[in-house]
Amino acid sequence: MGCMFRWLLMVTILFTLVSFAQAEENGGDSTLPLYRLTVSIDISSSRLLGVAGIPVRAGERAYFNAGALTIHEVQLKGKAIPFKNMDGLLEVAPSETGELTIRYEGSFPELQANSWIDKDHIGKMGVSLTGVWYPRIQGLALYRLTAVLPHGFEAISEAESVTKEERGAETVFSFDFPHPVNGINLVATDRYELTRDEHKGVGIYAYFFPEERGLAREYIDYAKRYLDLYEGLLGKYPYKRFAIVENFLPTGYSMPTFTLLGQDVVKLPFIVETSLGHEILHQWFGNKVYVDYSKGNWAEGLTSYLADHLYAEQKGKGWEYRKQSLVDFMSYVNEGNDFPLRDFRGRIDQASKTIGYGKATMLFHMLKEMVGEKVFLATLKEFVEEKGFAVASWDDLRRSFERSSQKDLGRFFSQWLEQKGLPAFYTEVKDFRQTGRGFEIAFDITAKGAYNLDLPVTIYLAQGTSRKETLKVKEGKNSFSFTLNDMPARMVIDENYDIARILSPGEVPPVVAGLLGEEPLIVVLPEGKKEVYGPVIELFNARKASVREASDIKDSDIKSASVVILGADNPLVGRLFGKALPKTDGFSLVMKKNPWAARKVVGILHSSSEAESQAAARKIPRYGKYSSISFEMGRNTAKETAVSDKGMVMGMEGEPTAVEASRIKGLSDVIGAVADKRIVYVGEAHETFSHHYVQLRVVEGLYEKNGKIAIGMEMFQRPFQFVLDDYLKGGMDEREFLKKSEYFSRWGYDYNLYKPIIDFAKAKGIPIIALNTKREILEKVSRGGLDSLSPEERKEIPPQMDFSDEEYRERLRDIFSKHMRSAEKDFNFFFQSQVLWDETMSFSVDEFFRLSPDRQVIVLAGSGHLSRGSGIPSRTFRRNGAGYSIILSDGDMERDVADYIIFPRPVEGQKAPKLGVLLKKEEGKVVISGFPEKSIAEEAGLEEGDIILSLDDTPVADIDDLRIQLLPKKKGDILKVKVLRKRFLFGETEKEIIVKFSQQDPEKRHF
């Protein structure tokens, strides 16, 4: 809720009445000027006639903010004197001391649609004057207001007492307010029905329209509770009366002695439990102790802390309120609109509210934690008493807390008031070891931002206990270590959000606010029916969004901005998250994390009609804290915030994993257990024979049980599916198959590893699915990302890919960071290539699955593509929902890593021997370019530069021919190598050399 006093600064700060400056400092001293104001209001013409009287001094110029008022005459001691009206700034230079009289007129016509909600108004709905409706002065004064209104009207202004006098067709209201105030307001209508009550000597009034009169009693009862609450915390309520006033404008203000709540606001069921108390608390902060706006507005943050935050705290949800304040800061505040808290004057947009209310709330919470709750509340009580009916600043607050706590708080207030932004923390575990029966952990916290802080940390131990510590952190790297009696499961930094800080990625749910405060913002048009989203496009256009076609969006665009995707079936949804969302009736907005930018979001907005969009679009900003919202013709039907971490979580070793030995099964048991699964994934380490033996056993076992199976193999790329099919049907021999599938250049691992599986499939007529994408595409993406692909290359990749798996991303990031020369490469490109790899294999499985739904599919792939289901399995399940199981060999015993882990005995299989040569192809010939250490080929007499003509009399035209010829060879075999050798002066000669395979070294990368 906004509060009226914030606007007073905006209309008066430039206008100074010099003669009052010294008196203002004296609070309620009699030296304060007495401002007499009489107004007569004509409802039919929306006009006001007024006479203002105020003392001035000879020789001291007086300035008034006259706004759009018409000044008819200025008199001093009954005589007209000259004045200047310069675009609303009224200047008077009195030659005598006395009371200045200003006769003026104001016109405040009926409001038009979409008018500014705070505009002054006189008309058939009533009177609402909260702006420049009289010549305004800066600073405190005593006011005496007399208002003449039509008979039957009720009027409200700042007053300890109100008198009414009926004069024929008019009613004269006199408002007595004996305290200094920095401005007054007037509200009136002939529709009010007044409900009165009294509580501990304070008159409580409810001015409600007939439609809402039934709410009056509830509002009065709640007002009594709030008065009791804050009198207990801050001292006696400052005035003799308090009024809850319903307004026909959508306002939410607090003025001395009353609050002005819009009709739509009053009807909201939560207002009595939240905003009403907030406005009542302003009677102390802002309406008794005034804000020194020239030095910053402290009152909104303090009121929010002791009202909205306190109510959440009483329900055990104070940490949630504080976390939401930090989420809002990260959503609405950016480098372009950030400013120091001391510069906050009043709310003008969401960013300023987030700083002036939210950041300030966190300041007061940290202050309370520092000095203790008892001292905190006692200090505020003294502060209200000391600065009552006077202006106060942040510095006044600091001095009060320093006096009561006996602490130097200069650094604390300076760092939170003078600096933009919030501190950010980054953690890294440096060492974790067992020391005797205990454990020692060492870690670093790197702080970004010039702050000195006491950072709370909770260490959760494996046995269910915990230990709390406070870490003194300053800018830069801070190193810490703890010795613990038990193994730590995890450490959580600031889990209750006691520190104002930038949240870690895991703590931030994707919320609607991420779209509302974002610059730049991209709106992606649907493929059809763009008119349905007209009102939505208009809303985001007003926020300077860039509106684009889906086909024009590159991944680099998404990396730089938050995105609104229009249409649940928009193709961009599939490109980012793997599949379109289901279409629904009505209007919905679903938020997701932006897969290419950790601090940005993607909103998927769907509407079934233009009418639905028109009814709901304007309400979107009210639901900033939610991750998904739904409407039916503007009525909210669902809202939810996604789950996120509580605190900055540092994962540790945790409790050791245990397996019940009596439940250990054999491979045949596992085959029986997965026989009913539509898809069975069997992992491998590519060069480990025992893993391929397990794969063969699974294939054989499931074939025996089901008969109709298919095998998906990572080892073959999709463009060569026709070669696989032709070979399995007998259309070519093995040699031709290996050459035409380009097996050796595209996969490269010893074919003997896979030969038994392929031979079995060929013998039994089992289809094999080429799962993989072209190597050229993967390599291009790993170097330049998906944006580097040509339109033709994009046709070869799946149209839908899911980049939103954060856990998978972090596992890949860990792999990437440990990879050689990773600093020279782009992780996002690496991540894109890995997801493309997984998605292509998943797409291939699903494509076959749909064409042959009666076959069980067995997928053979590297364990990294299967572990935890993150690679191929979950992506295929996203596509077809088919049940699956994952079998890994020699994997770590971790929860959820797979359904079954097999520990096969070591198996030695036949491997093609290494000839011991380095090869290159020149002018269509295979040439020896060198030899590795201890080469058997070199020992046999082969030389660098030799052109290999044949092996065992079989011609060699390319390197694949050589590899194919080596396949059946084993230790002890011989190989007849015919080469063409150039001799100096004697030309070329053919030589035949016998090579004997006496040893094999599988680690050498040569032939």
Side-chain angles (χ1 to χ4, degrees):
M1 285 291 177
C3 298
M4 182 57 211
F5 67 84
R6 70 171 178 265
W7 297 109
L8 302 183
L9 167 74
M10 302 172 73
V11 296
T12 63
I13 193 165
L14 297 178
F15 309 105
T16 306
L17 187 59
V18 177
S19 60
F20 298 160
Q22 194 170 29
E24 178 185 331
E25 300 297 324
N26 297 325
D29 193 284
S30 59
T31 56
L32 280 171
L34 176 62
Y35 195 134
R36 303 177 189 275
L37 180 62
T38 300
V39 295
S40 179
I41 295 174
D42 184 349
I43 300 296
S44 62
S45 64
S46 299
R47 303 185 74 77
L48 171 154
L49 296 176
V51 178
I54 191 165
V56 293
R57 294 175 183 165
E60 295 183 356
R61 293 180 183 272
Y63 296 91
F64 302 83
N65 177 12
L69 299 175
T70 299
I71 307 300
H72 291 305
E73 184 181 40
V74 178
Q75 292 185 348
L76 183 62
K77 294 187 175 180
K79 299 178 182 179
I81 63 172
F83 61 90
K84 294 180 182 178
N85 191 349
M86 302 167 288
D87 293 325
L89 176 61
L90 177 64
E91 179 186 9
V92 180
S95 57
E96 298 181 71
T97 297
E99 184 171 271
L100 193 73
T101 302
I102 304 171
R103 299 184 185 278
Y104 70 95
E105 183 176 348
S107 178
F108 307 102
E110 294 278 359
L111 296 182
Q112 303 301 313
N114 300 319
S115 293
W116 186 33
I117 63 171
D118 294 287
K119 187 174 180 180
D120 291 328
H121 169 89
I122 298 174
K124 60 179 179 295
M125 290 187 295
V127 177
S128 181
L129 300 174
T130 58
V132 185
W133 59 281
Y134 64 93
R136 304 196 66 147
I137 63 173
Q138 183 188 20
L140 300 178
L142 298 171
Y143 286 82
R144 296 292 182 270
L145 170 64
T146 300
V148 182
L149 288 147
H151 178 75
F153 271 65
E154 287 286 350
I156 302 96
S157 184
E158 291 78 357
E160 291 268 42
S161 63
V162 182
T163 59
K164 290 171 57 177
E165 181 182 353
E166 303 293 343
R167 296 180 183 174
E170 296 177 334
T171 303
V172 179
F173 292 86
S174 298
F175 300 96
D176 177 36
F177 190 66
H179 308 290
V181 68
N182 52 17
I184 58 172
N185 308 273
L186 179 63
V187 180
T189 181
D190 59 355
R191 298 186 61 231
Y192 281 139
E193 295 191 4
L194 177 59
T195 304
R196 297 181 176 88
D197 205 336
E198 185 174 317
H199 183 66
K200 297 181 179 178
V202 176
I204 303 178
Y205 303 81
Y207 294 83
F208 278 54
F209 300 141
E211 306 94 290
E212 284 77 51
R213 184 181 180 182
L215 300 173
R217 175 49 56 189
E218 182 181 25
Y219 270 82
I220 288 175
D221 289 342
Y222 268 93
K224 293 177 182 179
R225 299 178 201 174
Y226 290 123
L227 291 174
D228 287 343
L229 171 64
Y230 292 119
E231 283 194 342
L233 295 178
L234 303 171
K236 186 172 176 57
Y237 174 68
Y239 310 113
K240 296 178 181 178
R241 62 179 273 148
F242 177 74
I244 304 121
V245 183
E246 186 175 4
N247 193 11
F248 48 83
L249 298 181
T251 52
Y253 299 155
S254 180
M255 295 83 160
T257 71
F258 72 101
T259 182
L260 185 61
L261 303 176
Q263 186 172 19
D264 289 339
V265 173
V266 165
K267 291 186 286 190
L268 296 173
F270 56 84
I271 293 297
V272 290
E273 295 184 357
T274 54
S275 302
L276 177 61
H278 181 107
E279 305 303 343
I280 288 176
L281 179 54
H282 266 312
Q283 299 299 307
W284 282 266
F285 298 135
N287 292 335
K288 180 178 181 181
V289 181
Y290 301 118
V291 178
D292 185 348
Y293 287 100
S294 66
K295 297 179 181 178
N297 181 350
W298 50 268
E300 290 296 0
L302 183 52
T303 302
S304 295
Y305 184 61
L306 282 183
D308 311 71
H309 173 270
L310 177 61
Y311 311 148
E313 193 83 275
Q314 289 172 335
K315 297 175 182 178
K317 296 182 178 181
W319 70 269
E320 292 184 17
Y321 184 95
R322 297 189 292 274
K323 179 177 181 178
Q324 186 60 50
S325 296
L326 300 177
V327 171
D328 287 346
F329 190 94
M330 295 178 66
S331 299
Y332 293 117
V333 180
N334 55 54
E335 189 173 341
N337 59 26
D338 195 7
F339 57 84
L341 179 54
R342 189 183 286 279
D343 291 345
F344 173 69
R345 302 294 184 265
R347 171 186 175 178
I348 58 174
D349 55 22
Q350 282 291 353
S352 59
K353 177 188 176 184
T354 299
I355 294 169
Y357 290 60
K359 185 176 179 179
T361 290
M362 292 301 300
L363 180 151
F364 286 110
H365 180 71
M366 291 183 289
L367 180 60
K368 187 199 76 174
E369 294 295 295
M370 180 183 296
V371 303
E373 184 175 27
K374 185 176 180 180
V375 171
F376 181 78
L377 293 174
T379 304
L380 290 178
K381 195 170 187 178
E382 293 174 5
F383 176 73
V384 169
E385 185 63 29
E386 176 187 352
K387 301 301 273 185
F389 303 111
V391 294
S393 67
W394 280 110
D395 295 329
D396 294 320
L397 271 168
R398 174 181 55 79
R399 285 189 286 268
S400 293
F401 278 101
E402 285 181 330
R403 186 170 61 246
S404 61
S405 67
Q406 298 185 333
K407 295 177 182 285
D408 181 356
L409 300 175
R411 169 76 187 187
F412 173 84
F413 275 91
S414 174
Q415 67 187 11
W416 294 112
L417 292 179
E418 311 299 342
Q419 297 188 84
K420 292 182 180 181
L422 297 176
F425 305 103
Y426 305 92
T427 62
E428 181 182 6
V429 176
K430 304 296 288 186
D431 193 19
F432 175 57
R433 66 180 66 183
Q434 187 168 1
T435 56
R437 296 190 63 186
F439 295 85
E440 184 174 293
I441 180 170
F443 59 97
D444 292 339
I445 297 179
T446 300
K448 183 178 180 182
Y451 295 83
N452 287 346
L453 299 168
D454 290 340
L455 199 60
V457 60
T458 305
I459 307 166
Y460 288 92
L461 305 176
Q463 296 302 315
T465 58
S466 63
R467 168 176 162 183
K468 295 184 181 295
E469 297 284 348
T470 299
L471 311 177
K472 292 193 174 296
V473 174
K474 59 183 180 181
E475 187 175 22
K477 182 181 289 187
N478 303 264
S479 298
F480 303 95
S481 63
F482 294 125
T483 300
L484 307 167
N485 295 326
D486 192 9
M487 177 180 286
R490 70 187 192 281
M491 290 198 303
V492 184
I493 294 173
D494 191 29
E495 67 179 340
N496 287 317
Y497 300 95
D498 295 317
I499 301 295
R501 59 180 174 85
I502 297 296
L503 302 179
S504 62
E507 296 175 278
V508 185
V511 292
V512 173
L515 301 176
L516 304 177
E518 177 62 19
E519 294 180 9
L521 178 68
I522 297 174
V523 175
V524 184
L525 295 170
E527 287 194 313
K529 296 185 177 180
K530 296 178 176 60
E531 67 280 358
V532 167
Y533 296 96
V536 176
I537 295 171
E538 183 180 343
L539 169 72
F540 289 110
N541 264 338
R543 298 173 182 271
K544 302 178 181 179
S546 171
V547 181
R548 310 266 292 277
E549 296 284 350
S551 58
D552 295 335
I553 302 297
K554 296 182 177 181
D555 293 306
S556 56
D557 297 324
I558 300 168
K559 187 176 180 180
S560 66
S562 285
V563 182
V564 181
I565 303 176
L566 302 181
D569 56 350
N570 192 304
L572 187 58
V573 179
R575 273 176 55 189
L576 293 176
F577 305 107
K579 65 177 181 180
L581 296 186
K583 292 183 180 180
T584 57
D585 292 335
F587 183 99
S588 64
L589 176 57
V590 177
M591 302 302 304
K592 293 181 177 290
K593 290 192 174 184
N594 187 324
W596 300 132
R599 301 294 185 186
K600 298 183 184 296
V601 294
V602 175
I604 304 169
L605 191 152
H606 185 77
S607 180
S608 58
S609 70
E610 185 176 3
E612 289 282 3
S613 297
Q614 187 69 48
R618 62 186 176 83
K619 296 186 177 182
I620 290 175
R622 304 180 192 174
Y623 294 83
K625 70 179 183 179
Y626 296 104
S627 301
S628 62
I629 51 177
S630 299
F631 297 89
E632 291 181 2
M633 293 309 298
R635 181 178 63 86
N636 178 246
T637 55
K639 55 189 178 185
E640 185 176 357
T641 302
V643 176
S644 56
D645 290 345
K646 184 184 179 188
M648 291 180 63
V649 179
M650 297 171 61
M652 308 299 295
E653 293 297 320
E655 189 176 13
T657 303
V659 177
E660 187 179 345
S662 63
R663 297 178 64 85
I664 293 177
K665 300 179 179 181
L667 180 55
S668 59
D669 297 317
V670 172
I671 293 171
V674 302
D676 63 340
K677 299 296 183 183
R678 300 301 308 279
I679 305 173
V680 178
Y681 298 93
V682 191
E684 65 177 65
H686 300 311
E687 290 189 300
T688 304
F689 262 112
S690 61
H691 292 191
H692 299 295
Y693 171 74
V694 170
Q695 290 176 329
L696 178 61
R697 285 284 310 278
V698 171
V699 168
E700 292 173 337
L702 293 178
Y703 177 76
E704 289 177 7
K705 290 181 177 295
N706 300 332
K708 301 200 72 172
I709 66 170
I711 305 170
M713 298 188 72
E714 178 189 5
M715 305 80 211
F716 297 101
Q717 296 172 12
R718 286 171 57 85
F720 302 93
Q721 180 69 57
F722 74 98
V723 179
L724 260 174
D725 294 343
D726 201 14
Y727 173 64
L728 294 174
K729 293 176 183 176
M732 64 182 73
D733 62 18
E734 186 177 71
R735 184 183 193 89
E736 186 180 5
F737 160 61
L738 292 172
K739 290 194 69 173
K740 285 189 173 181
S741 67
E742 301 179 17
Y743 173 86
F744 293 107
S745 61
R746 293 186 172 275
W747 187 245
Y749 292 103
D750 194 328
Y751 181 69
N752 286 305
L753 295 163
Y754 303 98
K755 179 176 169 58
I757 297 171
I758 296 172
D759 287 348
F760 181 79
K762 189 172 186 295
K764 301 297 184 183
I766 300 170
I768 295 179
I769 312 161
L771 298 181
N772 220 330
T773 192
K774 284 173 63 175
R775 187 187 65 190
E776 294 87 344
I777 289 179
L778 280 177
E779 290 176 349
K780 192 171 184 179
V781 172
S782 69
R783 291 192 303 269
L786 289 166
D787 285 345
S788 68
L789 297 180
S790 68
E792 289 303 312
E793 288 170 326
R794 279 197 168 271
K795 292 177 183 178
E796 296 191 47
I797 68 175
Q800 296 183 331
M801 290 186 281
D802 184 4
F803 294 95
S804 64
D805 188 334
E806 291 294 324
E807 290 185 8
Y808 190 41
R809 182 195 295 267
E810 291 311 307
R811 290 202 300 275
L812 290 175
R813 190 187 300 277
D814 185 56
I815 294 170
F816 178 80
S817 65
K818 295 173 181 176
H819 197 274
M820 291 180 61
R821 302 175 68 183
S822 64
E824 302 173 18
K825 300 179 181 179
D826 188 304
F827 170 72
N828 277 333
F829 296 163
F830 171 76
F831 179 59
Q832 287 180 10
S833 69
Q834 293 298 307
V835 171
L836 172 59
W837 197 343
D838 293 326
E839 289 283 3
T840 302
M841 291 193 281
S842 167
F843 180 81
S844 301
V845 172
D846 182 61
E847 188 176 52
F848 178 88
F849 192 83
R850 293 179 185 279
L851 293 173
S852 303
D854 58 335
R855 287 189 181 269
Q856 182 183 42
V857 179
I858 304 164
V859 175
L860 311 182
S863 294
H865 294 290
L866 309 180
S867 177
R868 302 182 186 277
S870 301
I872 308 172
S874 65
R875 298 171 192 278
T876 309
F877 184 80
R878 182 193 79 227
R879 288 182 159 91
N880 55 37
Y884 66 87
S885 286
I886 301 172
I887 302 171
L888 299 182
S889 291
D890 296 322
D892 293 332
M893 292 295 296
E894 299 176 6
R895 288 185 178 89
D896 302 323
V897 71
D899 296 293
Y900 303 96
I901 299 177
I902 308 299
F903 296 95
R905 294 173 181 172
V907 175
E908 287 300 326
Q910 179 177 322
K911 291 186 179 180
K914 307 295 184 181
L915 181 57
V917 292
L918 303 176
L919 301 175
K920 62 181 178 180
K921 196 167 183 181
E922 288 184 352
E923 299 177 354
K925 299 174 181 178
V926 178
V927 182
I928 297 175
S929 60
F931 301 94
E933 187 179 348
K934 297 181 180 180
S935 166
I936 59 174
E938 188 176 27
E939 291 175 1
L942 290 170
E943 295 181 1
E944 186 175 344
D946 284 348
I947 299 171
I948 299 177
L949 300 177
S950 66
L951 299 178
D952 288 341
D953 299 323
T954 301
V956 173
D958 56 34
I959 296 173
D960 281 1
D961 287 331
L962 186 146
R963 300 190 71 164
I964 293 169
Q965 198 64 28
L966 291 176
L967 278 176
K969 297 294 184 179
K970 55 185 180 296
K971 185 176 180 180
D973 286 352
I974 62 171
L975 179 69
K976 184 168 61 174
V977 183
K978 183 181 286 187
V979 300
L980 183 66
R981 181 175 295 172
K982 293 180 180 180
R983 298 185 300 168
F984 183 64
L985 298 179
F986 297 101
E988 297 177 337
T989 184
E990 290 187 5
K991 294 186 71 69
E992 189 172 277
I993 296 170
I994 302 299
V995 179
K996 184 176 182 179
F997 297 109
S998 57
Q999 59 180 2
Q1000 299 179 41
D1001 184 356
E1003 298 303 318
K1004 299 295 184 183
R1005 297 290 181 178
H1006 54 77
F1007 298 103

